[in-house]
Amino acid sequence: MTLYLHELKQGRKTCIIWTLAIAAFMAMCVLLYPQMKGEMDSFTEMFASMGSFSAAFGMDKLDFGSLIGFYSVECGNILSVGGGFFAAIISVNILSKEEKEHTAEFLLIHPLTRGKVLISKLAAIFSEIILMNLIVTACSVLCIIIIDEPVPTREVMLLHLAYFICQIELALICFAISAFTRSNNFGIGLGLTLVLYFMSVLANVSDVAKPFKILSPFGYTEGSDIVINNCLDMKLIVLGLTIGLCAAIAGAYHYQRKDIL
């Protein structure tokens, strides 16, 4: 419990900054919707005719003039990239920092098994991701109420749930990276998130790249698919979480046996 609270304390600034930044951008998008609503019909026709660019972000399938269509594209992109970066940043150095900063010796001489260290650090990661998503979701719903629009509750909750699961998968993969390395991995975490995001984008515009949607956690956060089908793609989610769990288990197995001291 002490290590868990210590990790939360160490990560509080990062959590606060990223949560406020993502919530602020989401709020701005929602609050701008009434001013843009009158122009949306022309935007919808324009985006629908832009071919590959429209398909890349699902704008060819959605009514950009509706709140949920606008929300799933504009706010969805903010939450997917911002939330992905946040999950990667708080996870990718969670274990390796102890070796880089030479605090592993101090940590492991205490009556803590490596298993307890792993569980405490994972619990701290999940707690920060859950907190960020709760605040961002509440902020978004509040802004929709402020602009006096009906809240599309089911669609909004499904979208946010998909991004939350995506962040968990990214966090598990980055956690594994942290177990296998001894240096600062911020670049690796951010780069991996960007690569996986653009893999999903490419899958929308090229038949050759369709398999990328299966491999990328952003494949099941596609706003157009969620809104149109009114459900999540559970096959992709199960596959994604399986990949994340396998990576985390491999990382934990290696960490239990690596020479740290």
Side-chain angles (χ1 to χ4, degrees):
M1 189 66 177
T2 302
L3 179 58
Y4 166 73
L5 295 175
H6 175 71
E7 288 296 335
L8 289 181
K9 185 178 179 181
Q10 276 199 325
R12 69 183 183 279
K13 288 184 180 179
T14 301
C15 185
I16 290 170
I17 291 170
W18 277 91
T19 299
L20 291 178
I22 295 171
F25 279 113
M26 297 278 285
M28 282 191 291
C29 273
V30 175
L31 294 175
L32 281 172
Y33 175 74
Q35 282 72 43
M36 301 178 66
K37 188 175 181 180
E39 310 291 332
M40 286 303 174
D41 290 338
S42 58
F43 277 123
T44 300
E45 295 176 6
M46 180 181 71
F47 287 138
S49 63
M50 290 177 69
S52 296
F53 179 82
S54 300
F57 300 100
M59 293 184 291
D60 57 332
K61 303 176 185 176
L62 292 169
D63 178 9
F64 206 60
S66 67
L67 173 64
I68 192 59
F70 177 82
Y71 187 91
S72 63
V73 174
E74 297 296 335
C75 296
N77 284 326
I78 293 170
L79 191 53
S80 61
V81 177
F85 279 166
F86 172 70
I89 285 173
I90 65 173
S91 309
V92 79
N93 285 321
I94 194 78
L95 295 172
S96 60
K97 69 180 181 181
E98 304 293 352
E99 295 175 78
K100 181 177 182 295
E101 297 170 5
H102 304 291
T103 55
E105 295 91 338
F106 174 77
L107 177 64
L108 295 177
I109 62 172
H110 286 71
L112 282 173
T113 64
R114 294 193 187 190
K116 288 182 179 179
V117 170
L118 290 167
I119 292 171
S120 296
K121 287 178 177 284
L122 268 177
I125 291 170
F126 291 162
S127 296
E128 290 180 35
I129 292 175
I130 290 170
L131 179 62
M132 184 275 286
N133 279 277
L134 287 175
I135 292 173
V136 168
T137 303
C139 178
S140 299
V141 172
L142 178 61
C143 288
I144 294 173
I145 294 171
I146 289 173
I147 63 174
D148 199 26
E149 289 281 341
V151 180
T153 306
R154 180 175 173 80
E155 290 87 347
V156 169
M157 292 301 109
L158 285 174
L159 285 167
H160 281 265
L161 177 59
Y163 292 122
F164 169 72
I165 297 170
C166 173
Q167 291 155 23
I168 292 295
E169 181 183 345
L170 285 169
L172 290 171
I173 294 172
C174 289
F175 179 80
I177 292 172
S178 182
F180 280 97
T181 58
R182 296 175 182 267
S183 58
N184 190 314
N185 304 307
F186 281 131
I188 297 174
L190 297 179
L192 176 66
T193 301
L194 277 178
V195 167
L196 291 173
Y197 176 75
F198 282 111
M199 282 172 62
S200 177
V201 171
L202 285 173
N204 289 334
V205 299
S206 171
D207 290 335
V208 177
K210 286 296 182 186
F212 287 169
K213 191 166 186 176
I214 299 173
L215 298 174
S216 171
F218 296 100
Y220 51 78
T221 65
E222 190 69 46
S224 57
D225 294 338
I226 294 172
V227 171
I228 291 171
N229 298 324
N230 206 23
C231 65
L232 301 180
D233 190 330
M234 294 309 300
K235 291 181 180 178
L236 289 182
I237 288 175
V238 170
L239 176 61
L241 288 178
T242 301
I243 292 171
L245 285 171
C246 287
I249 291 169
Y253 180 84
H254 178 74
Y255 184 78
Q256 292 271 26
R257 285 156 180 77
K258 73 187 292 191
D259 181 14
I260 296 175
L261 299 179

